[in-house]
Amino acid sequence: MQLRYNFRLYPTPGQCGSLARAFGCARVVFNDGLRARQDARENGLPYISDGELSIRVITQAKKTPERAWLGEVSAVVLQQALADLNTAYRNFFASVTGKRKGPKAAAPRFRSRKDNRQAIRFTKNARFAVTAGGKLRLPKIGDVPVRWSRELPAEPSSVTVVKDAAGRYFASFVVETSDEPLPESAAEVGIDLGLSHFAVTSDGRKVDNPRFLRRAERRLRKAQQDLSRKAKGSANRAKARAKVAKAHARVADARRDWAHRLSTQIIRENQAVYVENLAVSGLGRTRLAKSVHDAGWSQFVGMLEYKAARYGRHFARIDRWFPSSKLCSTPGCGHIDDTMPLNVRSWECPQCGTVHDRDVNAAKNILAAGRVDRLNACGARVRPGPAPAQREEAGSLRGAAWRGTG
């Protein structure tokens, strides 16, 4: 499994200038390659191959007075910029022809020097290295100080140097790691994600929603107001813009750190984890958009997925149309309520009389549905897993659910 390890960089003023030059050269090569292919298409010429494009916008361009300064940076940086362009075109073509799953990929667009994020990539061919003193040696840039928060588990295959909107520099190493299975656990958990509580588990645990963005709104509002009062193009406006970016970066960092801690705890405690496959992109267009984006469900679920694969746990998503909230989780019942507005937080089953907490009931149904899917996929009982009676209960729940929705 390939993982990324990010570390903060603290380049000197001279190294910042060299990095800015590298960012600019990579951006120019990317845009030149994109422009060459667009011109060829408009003129009815054949598609320019990857090799021919590299010769045109790098090898031959360096010999011209207009692009002679491309030789001031590492050639690997320029080649990787073209590799990104080629990948973007392949994804676009695969999306158009239907070979690529997921959301449609748009055609490549020109990069701007005003983009919030600038990045360059070095591969092994660039001969980057970590010095004995703990600095990152980059060709034509120098030895950049690194704040090491942990050791790399193996030798990295590439490193990406990133400058974010807040003006911070990071080194992102790609490392090939081996699986590290944890001791098996008998526990399994279903998780219902929400807004009043970030997560509710099938064992009744409720995790409060930290609401990092909401808590920082006053500080963000003040920083944004200060920015709006600055004259466009002034140095004070640039400082105010950086202040806003840093405030947003603090919110994002806090949310990411919290999600890492919670996801690690859940993976360590449970052998199998099941969550609902939420349509976050759709919810992000409703009146709850700010709260949905503040929760960071997709980021959290992605962490659960890759950590489960690394540590030998089972992870699965339950169909988003599965009526987890409206289905009675009492064994042998399987009643599905007709309607369940969001303001209903608890309800009584008219068939068996059980009073359910809406979120805990949904988490229990997600766990039962996940167990059924896992059993059907394996064709045999999964250990650790539910007892035979529990399997029958889970099967009746899932069957009743789909009969009610079909």
Side-chain angles (χ1 to χ4, degrees):
M1 174 187 294
Q2 285 189 339
L3 293 179
R4 283 192 175 274
Y5 287 77
N6 296 330
F7 301 93
R8 184 77 180 271
L9 295 179
Y10 293 90
T12 63
Q15 291 171 343
C16 288
S18 299
L19 287 171
R21 190 179 303 110
F23 293 145
C25 290
R27 182 177 62 251
V28 166
V29 168
F30 183 94
N31 291 342
D32 286 349
L34 178 56
R35 188 177 297 106
R37 281 181 170 157
Q38 288 183 348
D39 291 344
R41 180 176 180 273
E42 292 173 358
N43 295 326
L45 300 175
Y47 179 80
I48 304 175
S49 65
D50 298 350
E52 176 63 23
L53 189 66
S54 176
I55 295 174
R56 287 191 191 182
V57 302
I58 297 180
T59 307
Q60 295 179 353
K62 287 182 180 180
K63 301 176 182 179
T64 63
E66 296 80 7
R67 294 288 187 266
W69 36 265
L70 290 177
E72 298 177 4
V73 301
S74 172
V76 174
V77 169
L78 307 181
Q79 292 290 348
Q80 290 303 306
L82 275 188
D84 291 340
L85 175 63
N86 298 331
T87 300
Y89 265 110
R90 283 194 293 270
N91 291 338
F92 171 63
F93 293 147
S95 181
V96 170
T97 57
K99 297 179 181 179
R100 187 175 188 268
K101 298 181 180 179
K104 296 294 184 182
R109 295 180 296 179
F110 290 102
R111 292 179 176 177
S112 171
R113 62 182 179 86
K114 296 182 180 180
D115 289 343
N116 291 332
R117 183 181 183 275
Q118 301 285 342
I120 53 175
R121 185 168 61 253
F122 298 88
T123 60
K124 285 186 176 180
N125 294 335
R127 298 182 180 179
F128 70 90
V130 178
T131 66
K135 295 184 177 181
L136 177 61
R137 179 167 295 167
L138 300 174
K140 296 192 177 183
I141 294 175
D143 296 348
V144 184
V146 184
R147 180 67 60 85
W148 298 101
S149 56
R150 52 183 170 174
E151 294 183 358
L152 291 173
E155 183 180 356
S157 59
S158 69
V159 59
T160 302
V161 179
V162 180
K163 182 183 179 182
D164 65 4
R168 303 177 301 177
Y169 292 86
F170 294 91
S172 178
F173 296 93
V174 175
V175 179
E176 188 74 31
T177 62
S178 57
D179 295 342
E180 301 176 5
L182 293 171
E184 287 197 1
S185 171
E188 298 182 350
V189 67
I191 302 176
D192 179 62
L193 300 175
L195 294 178
S196 56
H197 291 90
F198 176 80
V200 178
T201 61
S202 53
D203 56 7
R205 177 190 175 191
K206 294 186 177 181
V207 181
D208 291 334
N209 192 344
R211 295 184 173 89
F212 292 105
L213 181 62
R214 297 289 186 181
R215 285 159 48 186
E217 273 187 329
R218 183 177 179 182
R219 183 172 62 251
L220 291 169
R221 187 184 303 112
K222 184 178 180 181
Q224 193 67 49
Q225 287 173 347
D226 291 341
L227 173 62
S228 66
R229 297 189 181 103
K230 301 297 186 292
K232 292 185 177 180
S234 65
N236 285 336
R237 185 176 179 84
K239 294 177 183 178
R241 186 188 298 112
K243 187 176 180 180
V244 172
K246 289 178 181 178
H248 280 286
R250 281 195 292 269
V251 173
D253 291 345
R255 183 188 297 115
R256 188 185 307 108
D257 179 72
W258 183 85
H260 268 299
R261 294 175 185 272
L262 180 60
S263 60
T264 298
Q265 179 184 4
I266 292 174
I267 291 297
R268 289 186 180 278
E269 294 176 352
N270 299 278
Q271 185 67 28
V273 179
Y274 307 102
V275 299
E276 197 170 13
N277 186 17
L278 297 174
V280 178
S281 59
L283 294 171
R285 293 192 293 268
T286 66
R287 60 184 179 87
L288 299 174
K290 179 179 281 190
S291 297
V292 169
H293 291 306
D294 188 18
W297 293 329
S298 295
Q299 182 185 56
F300 174 71
V301 172
M303 291 178 181
L304 287 176
E305 186 172 13
Y306 92 78
K307 290 178 182 180
R310 186 182 184 189
Y311 296 114
R313 302 309 202 197
H314 179 74
F315 173 85
R317 288 183 172 90
I318 305 304
D319 194 300
R320 67 184 58 165
W321 302 112
F322 177 63
S324 58
S325 298
K326 299 188 293 183
L327 174 64
C328 178
S329 60
T330 303
C333 180
H335 171 76
I336 300 177
D337 210 18
D338 294 334
T339 59
M340 188 71 61
L342 287 175
N343 62 338
V344 177
R345 307 318 301 173
S346 63
W347 59 285
E348 181 179 354
C349 178
Q351 184 167 310
C352 65
T354 305
V355 178
H356 294 290
D357 179 284
R358 177 195 181 102
D359 298 329
V360 174
N361 176 69
K364 290 180 179 179
N365 288 326
I366 290 172
L367 172 62
R371 283 172 169 171
V372 172
D373 289 344
R374 191 180 181 191
L375 290 169
N376 292 338
C378 297
R381 181 180 175 182
V382 179
R383 293 186 175 88
Q390 292 174 310
R391 293 205 310 277
E392 294 176 3
E393 167 195 339
S396 63
L397 286 174
R398 190 62 180 272
W402 287 113
R403 285 195 298 273
T405 57

